[in-house]
Coordinates of all heavy atoms in Angstrom, one line a residue:
M169 N 109.1 149.4 61.4 CA 108.3 149.1 62.5 C 108.7 147.9 63.2 O 108.7 147.7 64.4 CB 106.8 149.1 62.0 CG 105.8 148.9 63.1 SD 105.8 150.4 64.2 CE 104.4 150.1 65.1
K170 N 109.1 146.8 62.4 CA 109.6 145.6 63.0 C 110.8 145.7 63.8 O 111.0 145.1 64.8 CB 109.8 144.5 61.8 CG 108.5 144.0 61.2 CD 108.8 142.9 60.2 CE 107.5 142.4 59.6 NZ 107.7 141.4 58.6
I171 N 111.7 146.6 63.3 CA 112.9 146.8 64.1 C 112.7 147.5 65.4 O 113.2 147.1 66.4 CB 113.9 147.8 63.2 CG1 114.4 146.9 61.9 CG2 115.1 148.1 64.0 CD1 115.2 147.7 61.0
F172 N 111.7 148.4 65.4 CA 111.4 149.1 66.6 C 110.8 148.1 67.6 O 111.2 148.1 68.8 CB 110.3 150.2 66.3 CG 109.8 150.8 67.6 CD1 110.6 151.8 68.3 CD2 108.5 150.5 68.1 CE1 110.1 152.3 69.5 CE2 108.0 151.1 69.2 CZ 108.9 152.1 69.9
I173 N 109.9 147.3 67.2 CA 109.2 146.3 68.1 C 110.3 145.3 68.6 O 110.3 145.0 69.8 CB 108.1 145.6 67.4 CG1 106.9 146.6 67.2 CG2 107.6 144.4 68.2 CD1 105.9 146.0 66.3
T174 N 111.1 144.8 67.6 CA 112.2 143.9 68.1 C 113.2 144.5 69.0 O 113.5 144.0 70.2 CB 113.0 143.4 66.8 OG1 112.1 142.9 65.9 CG2 114.1 142.4 67.2
T175 N 113.6 145.8 68.8 CA 114.4 146.5 69.8 C 113.8 146.7 71.1 O 114.4 146.5 72.1 CB 114.9 147.8 69.2 OG1 115.4 147.6 67.8 CG2 115.9 148.5 70.1
A176 N 112.4 147.0 71.1 CA 111.7 147.3 72.4 C 111.6 145.9 73.1 O 111.8 145.9 74.4 CB 110.4 147.8 72.1
L177 N 111.4 144.9 72.5 CA 111.4 143.5 73.1 C 112.7 143.1 73.8 O 112.7 142.5 74.8 CB 110.8 142.6 72.2 CG 109.3 142.6 71.8 CD1 109.0 141.5 70.7 CD2 108.5 142.4 73.0
I178 N 113.8 143.4 73.0 CA 115.1 143.1 73.5 C 115.4 143.9 74.7 O 115.8 143.4 75.8 CB 116.1 143.3 72.4 CG1 116.0 142.2 71.4 CG2 117.5 143.2 73.0 CD1 116.8 142.4 70.1
I179 N 115.1 145.2 74.7 CA 115.4 146.1 75.8 C 114.5 145.6 77.1 O 115.0 145.5 78.2 CB 115.1 147.5 75.5 CG1 116.1 148.1 74.5 CG2 115.1 148.4 76.8 CD1 115.9 149.4 73.9
F180 N 113.2 145.2 76.8 CA 112.4 144.9 77.9 C 112.9 143.5 78.5 O 112.9 143.4 79.7 CB 110.9 144.6 77.3 CG 110.0 144.1 78.4 CD1 109.5 145.0 79.4 CD2 109.5 142.8 78.4 CE1 108.6 144.5 80.3 CE2 108.7 142.4 79.3 CZ 108.1 143.2 80.3
A181 N 113.3 142.6 77.6 CA 113.9 141.3 78.1 C 115.2 141.5 79.0 O 115.4 140.8 79.9 CB 114.2 140.5 77.0
L182 N 115.9 142.5 78.6 CA 117.2 142.8 79.3 C 116.9 143.5 80.7 O 117.5 143.2 81.7 CB 118.1 143.6 78.6 CG 118.7 142.9 77.3 CD1 119.5 143.9 76.5 CD2 119.6 141.7 77.8
I183 N 115.9 144.3 80.8 CA 115.5 145.1 81.9 C 114.7 144.3 83.0 O 114.9 144.4 84.2 CB 114.8 146.4 81.6 CG1 115.8 147.4 80.9 CG2 114.3 147.1 82.8 CD1 115.1 148.6 80.2
T184 N 113.8 143.5 82.5 CA 112.8 142.8 83.4 C 113.5 141.9 84.3 O 113.1 142.0 85.6 CB 111.8 142.1 82.5 OG1 111.1 143.0 81.6 CG2 110.8 141.3 83.3
P185 N 114.4 141.0 84.0 CA 115.1 140.1 85.0 C 115.7 140.9 86.1 O 115.6 140.5 87.3 CB 116.0 139.4 84.2 CG 115.6 139.4 82.8 CD 114.9 140.7 82.7
N186 N 116.3 142.1 85.8 CA 116.9 142.9 86.9 C 115.8 143.4 87.9 O 116.0 143.5 89.1 CB 117.7 144.0 86.4 CG 118.9 143.6 85.6 OD1 119.5 142.5 86.0 ND2 119.4 144.3 84.6
N187 N 114.7 143.8 87.3 CA 113.7 144.4 88.2 C 113.0 143.2 89.0 O 112.7 143.4 90.1 CB 112.6 145.0 87.4 CG 113.0 146.3 86.8 OD1 114.0 147.0 87.3 ND2 112.3 146.8 85.8
L188 N 112.9 142.0 88.5 CA 112.3 140.9 89.2 C 113.3 140.5 90.3 O 112.8 140.1 91.5 CB 112.1 139.7 88.3 CG 110.9 139.9 87.3 CD1 110.8 138.8 86.3 CD2 109.6 140.2 88.0
N189 N 114.6 140.4 90.0 CA 115.5 140.1 91.1 C 115.6 141.2 92.2 O 116.0 140.8 93.3 CB 116.9 139.9 90.4 CG 117.0 138.6 89.5 OD1 116.1 137.7 89.7 ND2 117.9 138.6 88.6
A190 N 115.3 142.4 91.9 CA 115.4 143.4 92.8 C 114.3 143.3 93.9 O 114.5 143.8 95.0 CB 115.4 144.8 92.2
Q191 N 113.2 142.7 93.6 CA 112.1 142.6 94.6 C 112.5 141.6 95.6 O 112.9 140.5 95.3 CB 110.8 142.2 93.8 CG 110.3 143.2 92.9 CD 109.1 142.6 92.1 OE1 108.6 141.5 92.4 NE2 108.5 143.5 91.3
E192 N 112.2 141.9 96.8 CA 112.4 141.0 97.9 C 111.0 140.6 98.5 O 110.5 141.4 99.3 CB 113.3 141.5 99.0 CG 114.7 141.8 98.4 CD 115.7 142.3 99.5 OE1 115.3 142.0 100.8 OE2 116.6 142.9 99.3
L193 N 110.5 139.5 98.0 CA 109.2 139.1 98.4 C 109.4 138.0 99.4 O 110.2 137.1 99.2 CB 108.4 138.5 97.2 CG 108.2 139.5 96.1 CD1 107.4 138.8 94.9 CD2 107.3 140.7 96.6
S194 N 108.6 138.1 100.5 CA 108.6 137.1 101.5 C 107.4 136.1 101.4 O 106.4 136.6 101.2 CB 108.7 137.8 102.9 OG 108.6 136.8 103.9
P195 N 107.7 134.8 101.6 CA 106.6 133.9 101.6 C 105.8 133.9 102.9 O 104.8 133.2 103.0 CB 107.2 132.5 101.3 CG 108.6 132.7 101.9 CD 109.0 134.2 101.7
Y196 N 106.3 134.7 103.9 CA 105.6 134.7 105.2 C 104.9 136.0 105.4 O 105.3 137.1 104.9 CB 106.7 134.5 106.3 CG 107.6 133.3 106.0 CD1 108.9 133.5 105.6 CD2 107.1 132.0 106.1 CE1 109.7 132.3 105.3 CE2 107.9 130.9 105.8 CZ 109.1 131.1 105.4 OH 109.9 130.0 105.2
V197 N 103.9 135.9 106.2 CA 103.0 137.1 106.4 C 103.0 137.3 107.9 O 102.8 136.4 108.7 CB 101.6 136.9 105.9 CG1 100.8 138.1 106.3 CG2 101.6 136.7 104.4
E198 N 103.3 138.5 108.4 CA 103.3 138.9 109.8 C 101.8 139.1 110.1 O 101.2 140.0 109.5 CB 104.1 140.1 110.1 CG 104.1 140.5 111.5 CD 104.9 141.6 111.9 OE1 106.0 141.9 111.2 OE2 104.6 142.4 112.8
V199 N 101.2 138.3 111.1 CA 99.9 138.5 111.4 C 99.6 139.3 112.7 O 98.6 139.5 113.1 CB 99.2 137.1 111.5 CG1 99.1 136.5 110.1 CG2 99.9 136.2 112.5
G200 N 100.8 139.6 113.3 CA 100.6 140.4 114.6 C 101.9 140.4 115.4 O 102.9 139.8 115.0
T201 N 101.9 141.1 116.5 CA 103.0 141.1 117.4 C 102.6 140.7 118.7 O 101.3 140.8 119.1 CB 103.7 142.5 117.4 OG1 102.7 143.4 117.8 CG2 104.1 143.0 116.1
S202 N 103.5 140.3 119.6 CA 103.2 139.8 120.9 C 104.4 140.0 121.8 O 105.6 140.1 121.3 CB 102.8 138.4 120.9 OG 102.6 137.9 122.2
E203 N 104.2 140.2 123.1 CA 105.2 140.2 124.0 C 105.8 138.8 124.4 O 106.8 138.7 125.0 CB 104.7 141.0 125.3 CG 104.3 142.4 125.1 CD 105.5 143.3 124.7 OE1 106.6 143.2 125.2 OE2 105.2 144.2 123.8
S204 N 105.0 137.8 124.0 CA 105.4 136.4 124.4 C 106.5 135.9 123.4 O 106.7 136.5 122.3 CB 104.1 135.5 124.2 OG 103.1 136.0 125.0
T205 N 107.0 134.8 123.7 CA 108.0 134.2 122.9 C 107.3 133.4 121.8 O 106.1 133.2 121.8 CB 108.9 133.3 123.6 OG1 108.2 132.1 124.1 CG2 109.6 133.9 124.8
I206 N 108.0 133.1 120.7 CA 107.5 132.3 119.6 C 107.0 130.9 120.1 O 105.9 130.5 119.8 CB 108.6 132.1 118.5 CG1 108.8 133.4 117.8 CG2 108.1 131.0 117.5 CD1 107.7 133.8 116.8
A207 N 107.7 130.3 121.1 CA 107.3 129.1 121.6 C 106.0 129.2 122.4 O 105.1 128.3 122.3 CB 108.4 128.5 122.6
Q208 N 105.8 130.3 123.2 CA 104.6 130.4 123.9 C 103.4 130.7 123.0 O 102.4 130.1 123.1 CB 104.7 131.6 124.9 CG 105.7 131.4 126.0 CD 106.1 132.7 126.8 OE1 106.1 133.7 126.2 NE2 106.3 132.6 128.1
E209 N 103.7 131.5 121.9 CA 102.6 131.8 121.0 C 102.2 130.5 120.2 O 101.0 130.3 119.9 CB 102.9 132.9 120.1 CG 102.9 134.3 120.8 CD 101.5 134.6 121.3 OE1 100.5 134.4 120.7 OE2 101.5 135.2 122.4
S210 N 103.2 129.7 119.8 CA 103.0 128.6 119.0 C 102.1 127.6 119.8 O 101.2 127.0 119.4 CB 104.3 127.9 118.7 OG 104.9 128.6 117.8
E211 N 102.4 127.4 121.2 CA 101.6 126.6 122.0 C 100.2 127.1 122.1 O 99.2 126.4 122.1 CB 102.3 126.5 123.4 CG 101.6 125.6 124.3 CD 101.4 124.1 123.8 OE1 102.4 123.6 123.1 OE2 100.4 123.5 124.0
R212 N 100.0 128.4 122.2 CA 98.7 129.0 122.3 C 97.8 128.8 121.1 O 96.7 128.4 121.2 CB 98.9 130.6 122.6 CG 97.5 131.2 123.0 CD 97.8 132.7 123.4 NE 98.2 133.5 122.3 CZ 97.3 134.1 121.5 NH1 95.9 133.9 121.7 NH2 97.8 134.8 120.5
V213 N 98.6 128.9 119.9 CA 97.8 128.6 118.7 C 97.5 127.1 118.5 O 96.4 126.8 118.1 CB 98.7 129.2 117.4 CG1 98.1 128.6 116.1 CG2 98.8 130.7 117.5
N214 N 98.5 126.3 118.9 CA 98.2 124.8 118.9 C 97.0 124.5 119.7 O 96.1 123.8 119.2 CB 99.4 124.0 119.3 CG 100.6 124.0 118.3 OD1 100.3 124.3 117.1 ND2 101.7 123.7 118.7
Q215 N 96.9 125.1 120.9 CA 95.8 124.7 121.8 C 94.5 125.3 121.2 O 93.5 124.6 121.3 CB 96.1 125.3 123.2 CG 95.2 124.9 124.2 CD 95.2 123.4 124.4 OE1 96.3 122.8 124.6 NE2 94.1 122.6 124.4
A216 N 94.5 126.4 120.7 CA 93.3 127.0 120.1 C 92.8 126.2 118.9 O 91.6 126.0 118.8 CB 93.6 128.5 119.7
L217 N 93.7 125.8 118.1 CA 93.3 124.9 117.0 C 92.7 123.6 117.4 O 91.7 123.1 116.9 CB 94.5 124.7 116.0 CG 94.9 125.8 115.2 CD1 96.3 125.6 114.5 CD2 93.9 126.2 114.1
Q218 N 93.4 123.0 118.4 CA 92.9 121.7 118.9 C 91.5 121.9 119.6 O 90.6 121.0 119.5 CB 93.8 121.1 119.9 CG 95.1 120.6 119.2 CD 96.2 120.2 120.2 OE1 96.2 120.4 121.4 NE2 97.3 119.6 119.6
N219 N 91.3 123.0 120.3 CA 90.0 123.3 121.0 C 88.8 123.3 120.0 O 87.7 123.1 120.3 CB 90.1 124.6 121.8 CG 91.0 124.4 123.0 OD1 91.3 123.3 123.5 ND2 91.3 125.5 123.6
I220 N 89.2 123.7 118.8 CA 88.1 123.8 117.8 C 88.0 122.6 116.8 O 87.5 122.7 115.7 CB 88.1 125.2 117.0 CG1 89.4 125.5 116.3 CG2 87.7 126.3 118.0 CD1 89.4 126.7 115.4
G221 N 88.8 121.6 117.2 CA 88.6 120.4 116.4 C 89.7 120.0 115.3 O 89.6 119.1 114.6
F222 N 90.8 120.8 115.3 CA 91.8 120.6 114.4 C 92.9 119.7 115.0 O 93.1 119.7 116.2 CB 92.4 121.9 113.9 CG 91.7 122.7 112.9 CD1 90.8 123.7 113.4 CD2 91.7 122.4 111.6 CE1 90.0 124.4 112.5 CE2 90.9 123.1 110.7 CZ 90.0 124.1 111.1
E223 N 93.6 119.0 114.1 CA 94.7 118.1 114.6 C 95.9 118.8 114.1 O 96.0 119.3 113.0 CB 94.6 116.7 113.9 CG 95.7 115.8 114.1 CD 95.7 114.6 113.2 OE1 94.7 114.4 112.5 OE2 96.7 113.9 113.2
I224 N 96.9 118.9 115.0 CA 98.2 119.5 114.6 C 99.0 118.4 113.9 O 99.3 117.4 114.4 CB 99.0 120.0 115.8 CG1 98.1 121.0 116.6 CG2 100.3 120.6 115.4 CD1 97.6 122.2 115.8
V225 N 99.3 118.7 112.6 CA 100.0 117.6 111.8 C 101.5 117.7 112.1 O 102.2 116.8 112.1 CB 99.7 117.8 110.3 CG1 100.5 116.8 109.4 CG2 98.2 117.7 110.1
G226 N 102.0 119.0 112.3 CA 103.4 119.2 112.5 C 103.8 120.7 112.5 O 102.9 121.5 112.3
S227 N 105.0 121.0 112.9 CA 105.4 122.3 112.8 C 106.9 122.3 112.7 O 107.6 121.4 112.9 CB 105.1 123.0 114.2 OG 105.8 122.5 115.2
Y228 N 107.5 123.4 112.1 CA 108.9 123.6 112.0 C 109.2 125.1 111.9 O 108.4 126.0 111.8 CB 109.4 122.9 110.7 CG 108.9 123.5 109.4 CD1 109.7 124.4 108.7 CD2 107.7 123.2 109.0 CE1 109.3 125.0 107.6 CE2 107.2 123.9 107.7 CZ 108.0 124.7 107.1 OH 107.6 125.3 105.9
N229 N 110.5 125.3 112.0 CA 111.0 126.7 111.9 C 111.7 126.9 110.6 O 112.8 126.2 110.3 CB 112.1 127.0 113.0 CG 111.5 126.8 114.4 OD1 111.5 125.8 115.0 ND2 110.9 127.9 114.9
P230 N 111.1 127.6 109.6 CA 111.7 127.8 108.3 C 113.1 128.3 108.4 O 113.4 129.2 109.2 CB 110.8 128.7 107.6 CG 109.6 128.9 108.5 CD 109.9 128.4 109.8
E231 N 114.0 127.8 107.5 CA 115.3 128.2 107.5 C 116.0 128.1 108.8 O 117.0 128.9 109.1 CB 115.5 129.7 107.0 CG 114.8 129.9 105.6 CD 114.8 131.3 105.1 OE1 115.4 132.1 105.8 OE2 114.3 131.5 104.0
D232 N 115.6 127.2 109.7 CA 116.1 127.0 111.0 C 116.1 128.4 111.8 O 116.9 128.6 112.6 CB 117.5 126.4 111.0 CG 117.4 125.0 110.6 OD1 116.4 124.3 110.9 OD2 118.3 124.6 109.9
N233 N 115.2 129.4 111.5 CA 115.1 130.6 112.1 C 114.2 130.5 113.2 O 112.9 130.3 113.0 CB 114.7 131.7 111.1 CG 114.6 133.0 111.7 OD1 114.6 133.3 112.9 ND2 114.7 134.0 110.9
P234 N 114.6 130.7 114.5 CA 113.7 130.6 115.6 C 112.7 131.7 115.7 O 111.7 131.6 116.5 CB 114.6 130.6 116.8 CG 115.8 131.3 116.3 CD 115.9 131.0 114.9
N235 N 112.8 132.7 114.9 CA 111.8 133.8 114.8 C 110.6 133.5 114.0 O 109.7 134.3 113.9 CB 112.5 135.1 114.4 CG 113.5 135.5 115.4 OD1 113.3 135.5 116.6 ND2 114.6 135.9 115.0
F236 N 110.6 132.3 113.3 CA 109.5 131.9 112.4 C 109.0 130.5 112.8 O 109.9 129.7 113.1 CB 109.9 131.9 110.9 CG 110.3 133.2 110.3 CD1 111.6 133.4 109.8 CD2 109.4 134.2 110.2 CE1 111.9 134.6 109.3 CE2 109.7 135.4 109.7 CZ 111.0 135.6 109.1
T237 N 107.7 130.3 112.8 CA 107.2 129.0 113.1 C 106.1 128.8 112.1 O 105.2 129.6 111.9 CB 106.7 128.9 114.5 OG1 107.7 129.0 115.4 CG2 106.0 127.5 114.7
V238 N 106.1 127.6 111.5 CA 105.0 127.1 110.5 C 104.2 126.0 111.2 O 104.9 125.1 111.7 CB 105.5 126.6 109.1 CG1 104.4 126.1 108.3 CG2 106.2 127.8 108.4
I239 N 102.9 126.1 111.3 CA 102.1 125.1 112.0 C 101.2 124.5 110.9 O 100.4 125.2 110.3 CB 101.3 125.7 113.1 CG1 102.2 126.2 114.2 CG2 100.4 124.6 113.8 CD1 101.5 127.0 115.3
A240 N 101.3 123.2 110.7 CA 100.4 122.5 109.8 C 99.3 121.9 110.5 O 99.5 121.2 111.5 CB 101.2 121.5 109.0
F241 N 98.1 122.1 110.1 CA 96.9 121.4 110.8 C 95.9 121.0 109.8 O 95.8 121.4 108.7 CB 96.3 122.4 111.8 CG 95.9 123.8 111.2 CD1 94.7 123.9 110.8 CD2 96.8 124.8 111.1 CE1 94.3 125.2 110.2 CE2 96.5 126.1 110.5 CZ 95.2 126.2 110.1
S242 N 95.1 120.1 110.3 CA 93.9 119.6 109.4 C 92.8 119.1 110.3 O 92.9 119.1 111.5 CB 94.5 118.4 108.5 OG 93.5 118.0 107.7
R243 N 91.8 118.6 109.6 CA 90.7 118.1 110.3 C 90.2 116.8 109.5 O 90.3 116.8 108.2 CB 89.5 119.1 110.4 CG 89.0 119.4 111.7 CD 87.9 120.4 111.7 NE 87.2 120.7 110.5 CZ 86.8 121.9 110.0 NH1 87.0 123.0 110.8 NH2 86.2 122.1 108.9
S244 N 89.6 115.8 110.1 CA 89.2 114.7 109.4 C 88.2 114.9 108.2 O 88.3 114.3 107.2 CB 88.6 113.5 110.3 OG 87.5 114.0 111.0
D245 N 87.3 115.8 108.5 CA 86.2 116.2 107.4 C 86.9 116.8 106.2 O 86.6 116.6 105.1 CB 85.1 117.0 108.0 CG 85.6 118.4 108.5 OD1 86.6 118.5 109.1 OD2 84.9 119.4 108.2
L246 N 88.0 117.6 106.5 CA 88.7 118.2 105.4 C 89.5 117.2 104.6 O 89.6 117.2 103.3 CB 89.7 119.3 105.9 CG 89.0 120.5 106.5 CD1 90.0 121.5 107.2 CD2 88.2 121.3 105.5
Q247 N 90.1 116.2 105.3 CA 90.9 115.2 104.6 C 89.9 114.4 103.8 O 90.3 114.0 102.7 CB 91.6 114.3 105.7 CG 92.7 115.1 106.5 CD 93.2 114.3 107.6 OE1 92.9 113.1 107.8 NE2 94.1 114.9 108.3
G248 N 88.7 114.0 104.3 CA 87.7 113.3 103.6 C 87.3 114.0 102.3 O 87.1 113.3 101.2
T249 N 87.1 115.3 102.4 CA 86.7 116.0 101.3 C 87.8 116.0 100.2 O 87.5 115.8 99.0 CB 86.4 117.5 101.6 OG1 85.3 117.4 102.6 CG2 86.0 118.3 100.4
V250 N 89.0 116.2 100.6 CA 90.2 116.3 99.6 C 90.3 114.9 99.0 O 90.6 114.8 97.7 CB 91.5 116.7 100.3 CG1 92.7 116.4 99.5 CG2 91.3 118.1 100.8
L251 N 90.1 113.8 99.7 CA 90.3 112.4 99.1 C 89.2 112.2 98.1 O 89.5 111.3 97.2 CB 90.3 111.4 100.2 CG 91.5 111.4 101.1 CD1 91.3 110.5 102.3 CD2 92.8 111.2 100.5
K252 N 88.1 112.8 98.1 CA 87.0 112.6 97.1 C 87.3 113.2 95.8 O 86.8 112.8 94.8 CB 85.7 113.1 97.7 CG 85.2 112.4 98.9 CD 83.9 113.0 99.3 CE 83.4 112.4 100.6 NZ 82.2 113.1 101.2
V253 N 88.3 114.2 95.8 CA 88.6 114.8 94.5 C 89.6 114.0 93.7 O 90.6 113.6 94.3 CB 89.2 116.3 94.8 CG1 89.6 116.9 93.6 CG2 88.2 117.1 95.6
K254 N 89.3 113.8 92.4 CA 90.2 113.0 91.6 C 91.4 113.9 91.2 O 91.2 115.1 91.1 CB 89.5 112.6 90.3 CG 88.4 111.6 90.6 CD 87.8 111.0 89.4 CE 86.6 110.0 89.7 NZ 86.0 109.5 88.5
D255 N 92.6 113.2 91.1 CA 93.8 114.0 90.7 C 93.6 114.5 89.3 O 93.2 113.9 88.4 CB 95.0 113.1 90.8 CG 95.4 112.7 92.3 OD1 94.8 113.5 93.2 OD2 96.1 111.8 92.6

């Protein structure tokens, strides 16, 4: 029985990394499509966030890909709440 379990674990260990590497997971989520350019949509999102009280902390194009934009934003009340939490 121990040989069977050991053999099964070895086979599982050899097969699992290949299956994990075969998955292509993206850290980005498509939230919609638009006829506008990324720059136009980014500006629209920035303006909408600012209109409801958020501050735009920064933005960038991941992997220097102009088809992706990440927008970082915050609010003073959120920052205050986070600062109250001990590390």
Side-chain angles (χ1 to χ4, degrees):
M169 185 68 166
K170 288 183 182 181
I171 293 174
F172 174 75
I173 293 173
T174 304
T175 304
L177 289 174
I178 291 171
I179 291 172
F180 179 74
L182 293 174
I183 292 173
T184 301
N186 291 333
N187 289 338
L188 292 176
N189 291 337
Q191 295 178 359
E192 293 186 23
L193 300 175
S194 175
Y196 309 107
V197 177
E198 182 178 328
V199 293
T201 58
S202 173
E203 297 296 322
S204 304
T205 66
I206 290 287
Q208 291 168 331
E209 287 300 320
S210 295
E211 183 56 37
R212 191 172 70 86
V213 169
N214 284 343
Q215 191 61 51
L217 287 167
Q218 290 172 350
N219 287 345
I220 58 174
F222 285 95
E223 172 191 356
I224 305 302
V225 178
S227 66
Y228 69 98
N229 299 91
E231 300 176 5
D232 291 325
N233 185 337
N235 295 315
F236 294 118
T237 298
V238 172
I239 300 171
F241 56 93
S242 187
R243 237 179 18 217
S244 59
D245 61 319
L246 295 174
Q247 293 172 5
T249 300
V250 169
L251 291 174
K252 292 177 185 175
V253 178
K254 293 184 180 182
D255 290 340

